[in-house]
Amino acid sequence: MSGKTRLNFFHLGLIVAVVFWILFHFLYPTMWKQTIGPMSLGTEAPVYPFLDMHGRLAAHEAWSTGFDVIYNPNPLDPLGRQSVKPSWGLKISSLGMFRDQLAVASSIAIFGALICMLSVLRVRSIGEGIYAFLLIASPALMLSFERANDDLVYFSFLGLIPLLLRDSEKPKAYLFWLCWFVIFMLAPAKYYPGAAFAIFLVSPPKPGLFWQLFFAGLIFVGVVLGFYWNEINYLRSAVPSPSFFMVNGLPVWLRHLELPGFVRVMASALIAFMVLAGVSTMWRQVLFEKISISSKRCYVLGLSIYLFCYLLNSNYDYRFVFLIFLIPALFELTQAMKDRHQWKRMLYTLLICLCVLLWVDVLGYHFVKNWVSEPLQVPVVEQVTLFKNLTLFFLILPLSWIFGCFIGPGIFYVFGLERFRELPSKN
């Protein structure tokens, strides 16, 4: 049996397992509580399933009638929620997709995200297939599926960018502009897609084109800020703080663990240092050249978005979906480092920590529920959350270093500093 056939069977097995896992939860709703824990509202929710998508469509429907859902509770929302997303995203209300099309809109969001995930996760062995399944089946991603959260929509659209650029080292100029269009049409609706611009530093276009893209982005952002400044300031205070359970982000340390503000500054500086360290040491890591350009682009896309969210806000675990983009490069690195055992052990440790990170909340929930007496439950949950956020922080440091290695050559290129790069001989 050829390697290609085996790969197809591994990938087919992953697809079947993922589809079965998700359909099983929708057919037997009580399973959501077991997989997601207390974040699952289940059939007790005013709208089940797809509560988040219902809120989006209700906002679009009310907005289309002229009702301002940003500054007022939405009467069409069963929870009476105000929209805490910029009005830029409400423009699509003109498409007429409202609450009566909840099932259609949610199905499109879920299937689009799954197609993107399964195309990104190119498994080559049964071990990689099992690992990929554990990521997609994790509580963080299953919460997104249960609620049809709009992060799935952004994930799918942003996943088009590596596809547009393909595996080419130097794509055509119009493809870069198409990717620019995807990024900057999404950015005003939720901010973080703008961080995806970092993908242009992976085998970037000619410096002239790169700077055209860069300054076009600056002008676009400046115009949007000018038009929506008051709204943006209002939303900064209107966005509710996420609950303690199943949240992540550097500000969590300050808000919930009562750490002083300088901790955030020092932690941010350390992450920035790791990125710069990756940039400065890239040319010494010859094996990084063996990673496919497509995997590098996916990695930079996913981590740039997640770092933006991590540093600036406390996030529900929906944001973890963007870490899926990192996996192909990490899989390829484990193969490239097969003769360098220290490196390989480090990469396996990163993969294990990432899997633990995505599952620790629900495991902690079931442990507390079944084995901890009620007076001790809150302190134990706090310890689980502390462990989760510390794991995430120490995971981000080496991931940021790899990120710096992938964008390093592009930075040297667009700034005309290639003469300072002295790649060692491969012999």
Side-chain angles (χ1 to χ4, degrees), residues 124-138:
R124 297 162 297 181
S125 67
I126 190 169
E128 290 184 358
I130 292 172
Y131 184 84
F133 172 77
L134 287 174
L135 296 190
I136 298 177
S138 66

Side-chain angles (χ1 to χ4, degrees), residues 271 274-275 299 303 307 396-405:
I271 292 170
M274 295 304 295
V275 174
Y299 187 99
L303 194 61
L307 277 178
I396 278 179
L397 294 177
L399 292 178
S400 298
W401 183 83
I402 295 172
F403 175 86
C405 289

Side-chain angles (χ1 to χ4, degrees), residues 282-286 289 421-427:
M282 186 276 151
W283 57 87
R284 302 174 196 169
Q285 309 302 328
V286 181
E289 297 180 353
R421 286 184 65 225
E422 297 180 2
L423 285 169
S425 171
K426 295 182 182 181
N427 296 326

Side-chain angles (χ1 to χ4, degrees), residues 113 116-122 135 141 151-163 192 196 199 294-306 319-331 354 406:
C116 184
M117 290 176 195
L118 293 169
S119 62
V120 166
L121 294 169
R122 301 182 296 271
L135 296 190
L141 272 66
D151 278 341
L152 295 179
V153 177
Y154 292 97
F155 175 84
S156 301
F157 275 107
L158 290 167
L160 293 174
I161 298 175
L163 182 63
Y192 66 68
I199 198 173
S294 177
S295 293
K296 288 180 181 178
R297 286 186 175 126
C298 284
Y299 187 99
V300 169
L301 173 72
L303 194 61
S304 61
I305 291 171
Y306 186 75
R319 300 291 189 273
F320 281 146
V321 67
F322 293 101
L323 296 181
I324 292 292
F325 284 122
L326 278 58
I327 304 306
L330 294 178
F331 280 169
L354 179 57
F406 286 164

